[in-house]
Structures are given as structure tokens and as C-alpha cells.
Amino acid sequence: MENELRTPLTQTTTTGSSLIKACLNATNAFLGIGLLTVPYALASGGWLSLLLFLLIAIMTFYTGILLKNCMDVNPSIKTYLDIAEQSFGQKGRIAVMIIMNSELYLVAIGLLILEGDNLHKLFPKFMVKIGSLLVDGRQSFVVITALVIFPSMLLTDLSILSYVSATGVVSCLLILGSTLFVGAFGDVGFNASGKLLEISGIPTAVSLYIVCFAGHAVIPSIYTSMQHKHQFSKVLLFSFVVTIVTYASTAIVGYLMYGDSVESQITLNLPTREVAAQVAIYTTLLIPVTRYALMVTPVATAIESGLSENHKNKKSVQLFIRIALLVSTTSLAFVFPYFENLMAIVGSIFVVLGSFILPCLCFLKVSGSYQSWSYDLIGIIGIFVFGILAGVFGTYSSISDLLRET
């Protein structure tokens, strides 16, 4: 699976990706919808939580290197699933496949919620009346979005959407620039002081920060596609620097603009009467439409792989699986409007596993480093413990917040 969480800009070729293409691929792997929630994450934890953001960035950079080291052990390893199988056998491969596809499924739900929220922001008075049943605007837009997405679910070749969704880097920079423009030249300004530290909000902040570095699933594909693999560390460093600067800038700008009143998505705060705000919102609206099918297709493929040979290649079965996934994600997005809680759950469970715990375990298993003490082993143990704590407290906090809101 090469689209487990993000979509590389280019497809692997026989000649390999150049340094520049690899940098773009890696940056696109990490820049995504997490951009919209980082101001809310900063508001949840306070200014000092930015130190945790940097710590998370450093740890996930290191685990990215660990995945590369795992691949160097066996040249036949091409994907994250191969790394899991090399480390823990077929059971490890199945476990990682379940984790990644569960994450993709939840991200797909998040895309629908994102679209419904932002369309409702633009058209707050819109609603649908069917007989005596009145459906509010946000829920109506979730269903409408699903209908717009439906044709893309019928495609077997997603290469066109893959290139469109690869504009993720540009989209994120455009959203940041538009938000900054609203603050600098609109009526909002940068006058909110914010809190220095909010202990109770740290678990939520950490979970949302972790979502920002959820691109490890495609790191093996990027490494495999490179023409000069010895430059991978430079590629990963470049992508992390761009990612850190973009996310941190968005968090700081959004928090200075709206303080503790910042919404779970920064675009929901922006005044729709201003052109720059409309640019940010409409750019955000493109993300679900272009990425939904790419998120769900690996899930459908995984389901099909578990079917018998008589059914897995039937077009009718493939179509039924994709429609079922669209209907189920739409239904959950319809009744579950809490984008920030969903993203926090994704971060505290699935990204913690994929970006913290599994790279550490796989590297220790493959390299045998656990047999003697070293600075690397101490660092890996520290990352592992942090991941466990972030996962436990983040999940508890997210579920508690969700129960309070419902």
C-alpha cells in the first residue's frame, strides 16, 4: 500500500526520484489536514506546548530514520508492511495492515466532517427539508459531499486524483498565507495573548501535534523510489524543517488572532466577507474531494484481498465494497460532528503506533540492538515510553471530551 496516509507527488520510476522530487514527496507526506487543527492544539496546551511540538518532531524524525535502517537490512523490503513482516512475520504484517487501514478509514470520516463544517461556514442558512424532516446545513453538506465524491469511487485508475491531491504542499502554504493576510490586513489583528500553559489541555494538544507527523506509512515508498538513497537523511530533514515551520507558523498566527476562542479548524474562525478568508476556505474544500478516494481505496483493496479468488476480482464486488465504505463513513460523519476529537483519537492511537511504537519495535527486532545498552537504545526506549504515555492519556482525554460534548 503506497497511499496509506498521504500520497507521494510522483510515482516510482525505474530511474528513481531525484533529490528535489524526493523532497517534495516527503514534504507532501507530512503536510495535510493537521494544519487546520494546530492553532486549536496550541490553544489547548498553551504557548509552552510548542516545546512538546518540537520534541514530537525530533522523535518522529528519528523514527523515520529507524524505518530507513530497517530497510537497509533487507533490500527486498519495499513498504511499511514488508518491514513489519521482516520483524514479526505474517502476523506482524496483518496487524500493521489493520492499524493503517483503520487510520485511513477514520481520516476519511474526518475529511467528510471537514467539508461539512466549512461549507456550513460559507452557507450558514442552508438546510434541507424532506417532508416533515429537517436536516441542518452541516449534515446536509456531508451528504452532498458524499454524492460529489461518489464518481471518484468508481475509478480504478486514481493517478489523476493522485496528482491533484499532491498539491497538498501548495494548499497548506496557501491556507497559511491567506490566514496571515486576514490577520495582518483585516479587522482581526494579532492581539490575543493566550495562556502560557494549560495542563488539562496537554493530552489533546499532544494528540493533535502527533497527527502533524503521520507520514511514516509512505517513508519506505519514498526511500525505495530515490535514485540516490544515501541522500535520504537530507530529504527527511528538509521535509521536517518545512513541515515544522509551516505547522508552527499556522499555530502561532491562529492563536495570536483568536486566542482561546480559536475553533477546531482555523478556517471556521475566518470572516467569510474577506477575500483572503474565502481563498483559505475554498482551498480547504478541495482537500476532501481530491483525497477521499485515495484514502479509502487502500482500505477497499485490503478487504478485497481477504475474499476468495471467485469474488475479489469481480467488478460488482469491488463496487459494492467501495459504496459500502462511502455509505458507512458518510453515516458516521453525519452523526459525529466532532472533528477535533476524531483527529485526536487518530493521533493518540494510530499515529502513535505507526510513527512512534512500531518503528522502534521493528528496528530493535531487526537490528538486535536490544541485546546491549547504547545511547540509541536509551533514545528508542524514551520514544517508546513517550508514545505509550501519549497514547494512553491522549485517548482518555479525547474520549472524555467527546462524552462531555455529546
Side-chain angles (χ1 to χ4, degrees):
M1 296 177 194
E2 297 185 2
N3 292 319
E4 267 118 354
L5 188 58
R6 299 287 191 272
T7 306
L9 288 177
T10 58
Q11 302 297 319
T12 303
T13 63
T14 55
T15 57
S17 300
S18 65
L19 178 65
I20 295 176
K21 287 183 179 180
C23 286
L24 291 175
N25 282 345
T27 304
N28 186 68
F30 291 99
L31 281 179
I33 59 176
L35 183 83
L36 303 175
T37 61
V38 282
Y40 179 82
L42 181 55
S44 298
W47 288 109
L48 288 179
S49 69
L50 283 174
L51 296 176
L52 289 172
F53 173 80
L54 292 175
L55 179 62
I56 290 167
I58 293 170
M59 288 189 291
T60 48
F61 173 81
Y62 184 70
T63 55
I65 297 296
L66 291 183
L67 289 177
K68 174 259 185 189
N69 292 340
C70 288
M71 298 186 71
D72 289 340
V73 173
N74 186 345
S76 66
I77 295 176
K78 304 296 182 184
T79 67
Y80 203 137
L81 297 179
D82 292 340
I83 294 175
E85 185 172 4
Q86 174 75 22
S87 305
F88 302 105
Q90 188 65 21
K91 291 182 179 178
R93 185 183 187 93
I94 294 173
V96 171
M97 182 176 66
I98 292 173
I99 291 170
M100 289 185 172
N101 284 295
S102 298
E103 180 183 344
L104 286 172
Y105 185 81
L106 292 178
V107 170
I109 296 172
L111 291 175
L112 293 172
I113 297 173
L114 174 71
E115 191 81 353
D117 287 345
N118 282 276
L119 282 170
H120 186 52
K121 169 74 174 178
L122 289 174
F123 308 102
K125 296 181 179 180
F126 181 87
M127 59 183 61
V128 174
K129 186 175 183 181
I130 305 174
S132 59
L133 178 64
L134 189 65
V135 183
D136 72 19
R138 192 203 68 82
Q139 292 176 320
S140 300
F141 284 126
V142 167
V143 176
I144 292 172
T145 301
L147 294 175
V148 172
I149 289 172
F150 177 73
S152 67
M153 297 296 291
L154 306 179
L155 298 175
T156 54
D157 182 8
L158 296 178
S159 58
I160 297 177
L161 279 181
S162 181
Y163 281 100
V164 173
S165 73
T167 58
V169 176
V170 176
S171 298
C172 288
L173 295 177
L174 192 57
I175 292 171
L176 170 58
S178 300
T179 304
L180 183 62
F181 192 91
V182 171
F185 301 103
D187 298 328
V188 181
F190 305 103
N191 303 314
S193 57
K195 295 170 292 190
L196 185 62
L197 181 65
E198 183 63 51
I199 296 295
S200 62
I202 289 296
T204 298
V206 168
S207 296
L208 293 175
Y209 288 151
I210 287 174
V211 172
C212 299
F213 300 97
H216 285 58
V218 298
I219 283 179
S221 299
I222 294 170
Y223 180 60
T224 302
S225 71
M226 289 184 62
Q227 185 175 7
H228 303 291
K229 292 181 174 55
H230 66 277
Q231 296 179 322
F232 176 77
S233 295
K234 295 179 182 178
V235 169
L236 196 62
L237 180 61
F238 173 86
S239 68
F240 265 74
V241 169
V242 174
T243 299
I244 291 168
V245 171
T246 304
Y247 280 132
S249 299
T250 305
I252 293 169
V253 167
Y255 196 33
L256 286 175
M257 289 171 65
Y258 298 105
D260 294 333
S261 63
V262 68
E263 298 280 356
S264 60
Q265 304 161 46
I266 184 61
T267 49
L268 300 182
N269 285 104
L270 300 179
T272 55
R273 65 182 181 277
E274 297 191 20
V275 175
Q278 293 178 11
V279 170
I281 295 172
Y282 280 112
T283 301
T284 302
L285 291 175
L286 287 175
I287 296 174
V289 175
T290 57
R291 290 203 171 192
Y292 180 91
L294 292 169
M295 294 294 104
V296 173
T297 297
V299 182
T301 302
I303 295 173
E304 291 163 8
S305 66
L307 300 177
S308 65
E309 292 294 333
N310 295 331
H311 295 93
K312 66 169 57 178
N313 295 320
K314 288 184 177 180
K315 290 292 184 181
S316 59
V317 173
Q318 294 175 349
L319 180 60
F320 175 79
I321 291 172
R322 283 158 174 75
I323 293 176
L325 288 171
L326 179 61
V327 171
S328 62
T329 53
T330 302
S331 300
L332 289 171
F334 187 89
V335 300
F336 187 91
Y338 309 108
F339 181 78
E340 70 280 11
N341 297 122
L342 179 64
M343 289 298 101
I345 290 173
V346 169
S348 60
I349 298 178
F350 299 103
V351 183
V352 161
L353 287 170
S355 299
F356 287 81
I357 295 176
L358 288 174
C360 292
L361 292 178
C362 289
F363 177 76
L364 290 176
K365 180 68 173 179
V366 169
S367 66
S369 300
Y370 61 89
Q371 297 177 0
S372 60
W373 285 97
S374 64
Y375 289 117
D376 284 341
L377 180 59
I378 293 173
I380 289 171
I381 291 174
I383 293 172
F384 185 84
V385 172
F386 179 89
I388 292 293
L389 293 175
V392 171
F393 287 104
T395 303
Y396 175 80
S397 176
S398 302
I399 294 176
S400 298
D401 291 343
L402 177 62
L403 293 176
R404 280 196 298 269
E405 291 184 15
T406 54

